[in-house]
Amino acid sequence: MPTHYNGTQEEILALDSYIKLSRAADSINSRLSNSPSMQELTISQFGVLEALVHLGPLCQNVLGSKILKSNSNMTTVIDNLEKRGLVKRERNSEDRRMITIHLTKEGKEIIETVLPQHVAAIKSQFEVLTQEEQIQLGNLLRKLGRQG
Amino acid sequence: MPTHYNGTQEEILALDSYIKLSRAADSINSRLSNSPSMQELTISQFGVLEALVHLGPLCQNVLGSKILKSNSNMTTVIDNLEKRGLVKRERNSEDRRMITIHLTKEGKEIIETVLPQHVAAIKSQFEVLTQEEQIQLGNLLRKLGRQG
DNA sequence: ATCAAACTATTTGATATCGAAATATTATCA
DNA sequence: TGATAATATTTCGATATCAAATAGTTTGAT
């Protein structure tokens, strides 16, 4: 994150935007994951539970793509959720390469408690912006994310 | 990252903004760190070299704050840079709690090669936005990062 | 029908990062 | 001076990533 670069005006503007983007994302994520409402869930664990409660039982590689995390990490994420009794693995009997992940009753309860709090936390983070501004921001960010 | 939440309009807008923010930051960072110009440097290693070349020799905890990473990680980051011969540690003789990190000749050469390429990569990422839009984006992000 | 090669899903291994606790050194002040 | 506080760095344990290895399934030539 170059903070002392002598360059053209275009370069400096882009650098500045990049630094602000990184800082904003980092600080929002850190505020969210340190929030007590997260119940000791990591962002990945949260994402898995959230996907399961809305989409039903899923196999690992689908879960991986839903939460935008690497598939090789799903093994650990699910290991840890399983240790806490929040999900259950079941080897698919038709295609034995797949393992289907199911929410347990405890997992369902946790995510149904945590999710609304998490959403409220996000909403409160974004309340420094008006709705207009949030829409504006979303449009700018979409361009950057697409392929920029 | 809740993608299927039924909530109020305000909640959905905030969620949507949050998802776009995360995606934009992730995809830009991943494009930058996979770029061949990075010469096998991690983002942290790059940040350390960049701070050293612009600010001169620094001790670990200052470096940590400059690159916005946890201080406990600096030990490893500097270990690895030292293994590659890009920096050198020197225990401060006046206050022996401190270790001052110096760029070596090789380190200086590498960062002076990589930095302009990195800046160019960032500039090109942001070229999907006009300068006006980048300024607008910067202003919105600053509000979010500040304390949101 | 069969079985090797290609394909897909998951796990393992190496490394990076983080937070909290441990260690090393120095500063303070009773 | 010596006990205690303060600061700098390292270590430890956990989680995340990527690439390579492993396990299981499908395909297609024979």
Side-chain angles (χ1 to χ4, degrees):
Chain A
M1 203 178 291
T3 46
H4 309 276
Y5 189 73
N6 290 316
T8 67
Q9 192 235 328
E10 283 89 351
E11 284 172 341
I12 290 173
L13 180 56
L15 277 178
D16 187 58
S17 308
Y18 173 57
I19 291 172
K20 292 201 177 82
L21 177 63
S22 302
R23 291 212 172 126
D26 284 354
S27 55
I28 287 194
N29 277 326
S30 120
R31 282 182 221 122
L32 287 175
S33 45
N34 293 332
S35 137
S37 69
M38 279 293 276
Q39 294 271 23
E40 310 282 311
L41 294 172
T42 67
I43 296 278
S44 297
Q45 291 175 350
F46 175 86
V48 165
L49 296 183
E50 194 268 330
L52 292 176
V53 81
H54 284 106
L55 305 175
L58 294 172
C59 66
Q60 273 193 205
N61 66 350
V62 174
L63 275 171
S65 62
K66 290 292 173 202
I67 69 172
L68 307 172
K69 298 283 165 159
S70 88
N71 272 327
S72 54
N73 189 35
M74 292 306 302
T75 301
T76 314
V77 173
I78 291 168
D79 280 353
N80 290 331
L81 287 170
E82 202 170 29
K83 273 183 210 148
R84 278 179 69 180
L86 305 183
V87 304
K88 252 198 164 41
R89 282 181 160 100
E90 279 178 32
R91 177 75 67 174
N92 186 318
S93 55
E94 302 201 345
D95 184 341
R96 298 186 41 74
R97 288 173 300 187
M98 292 193 218
I99 295 181
T100 311
I101 317 298
H102 300 254
L103 269 185
T104 63
K105 188 161 144 294
E106 294 76 21
K108 192 159 185 293
E109 280 169 13
I110 284 234
I111 190 62
E112 285 177 346
T113 308
V114 170
L115 182 50
Q117 298 173 355
H118 189 65
V119 171
I122 292 174
K123 173 166 164 260
S124 113
Q125 299 275 326
F126 279 84
E127 269 167 358
V128 288
L129 302 181
T130 66
Q131 309 227 154
E132 295 288 314
E133 286 174 328
Q134 289 183 47
I135 290 169
Q136 222 175 49
L137 176 68
N139 288 334
L140 297 171
L141 290 172
R142 186 159 26 79
K143 292 194 198 173
L144 278 176
R146 285 285 177 224
Q147 44 107 359
Chain B
M1 203 178 290
T3 47
H4 309 276
Y5 189 73
N6 290 315
T8 67
Q9 191 235 329
E10 283 89 351
E11 284 172 340
I12 290 172
L13 180 56
L15 276 178
D16 187 59
S17 307
Y18 172 59
I19 291 171
K20 291 201 178 85
L21 176 63
S22 302
R23 291 211 172 127
D26 284 355
S27 56
I28 287 195
N29 278 324
S30 121
R31 283 181 222 123
L32 287 175
S33 47
N34 293 332
S35 139
S37 69
M38 278 292 277
Q39 295 271 23
E40 309 283 312
L41 295 172
T42 67
I43 296 276
S44 296
Q45 291 175 348
F46 175 86
V48 165
L49 297 182
E50 193 269 329
L52 292 176
V53 82
H54 285 106
L55 304 176
L58 295 172
C59 67
Q60 271 193 208
N61 66 349
V62 175
L63 275 171
S65 63
K66 291 291 172 203
I67 70 172
L68 307 173
K69 298 283 166 161
S70 90
N71 272 326
S72 56
N73 190 34
M74 291 304 304
T75 301
T76 314
V77 172
I78 291 169
D79 280 353
N80 291 331
L81 287 170
E82 202 169 27
K83 271 183 210 148
R84 278 179 69 179
L86 305 183
V87 304
K88 250 195 167 39
R89 283 180 160 102
E90 278 178 33
R91 177 74 68 173
N92 186 317
S93 55
E94 302 200 347
D95 184 340
R96 297 183 43 74
R97 287 173 301 187
M98 292 191 217
I99 295 181
T100 310
I101 316 299
H102 300 254
L103 269 185
T104 63
K105 188 161 143 296
E106 294 77 21
K108 191 159 186 294
E109 282 169 14
I110 284 233
I111 190 61
E112 285 177 345
T113 309
V114 170
L115 182 50
Q117 298 173 356
H118 190 66
V119 171
I122 291 174
K123 174 165 163 260
S124 114
Q125 299 275 323
F126 279 84
E127 269 167 357
V128 287
L129 302 181
T130 66
Q131 309 224 156
E132 295 288 314
E133 286 174 327
Q134 289 182 45
I135 291 169
Q136 220 174 52
L137 176 67
N139 288 334
L140 297 171
L141 289 172
R142 186 158 27 78
K143 291 192 199 177
L144 276 176
R146 286 282 177 227
Q147 46 107 355

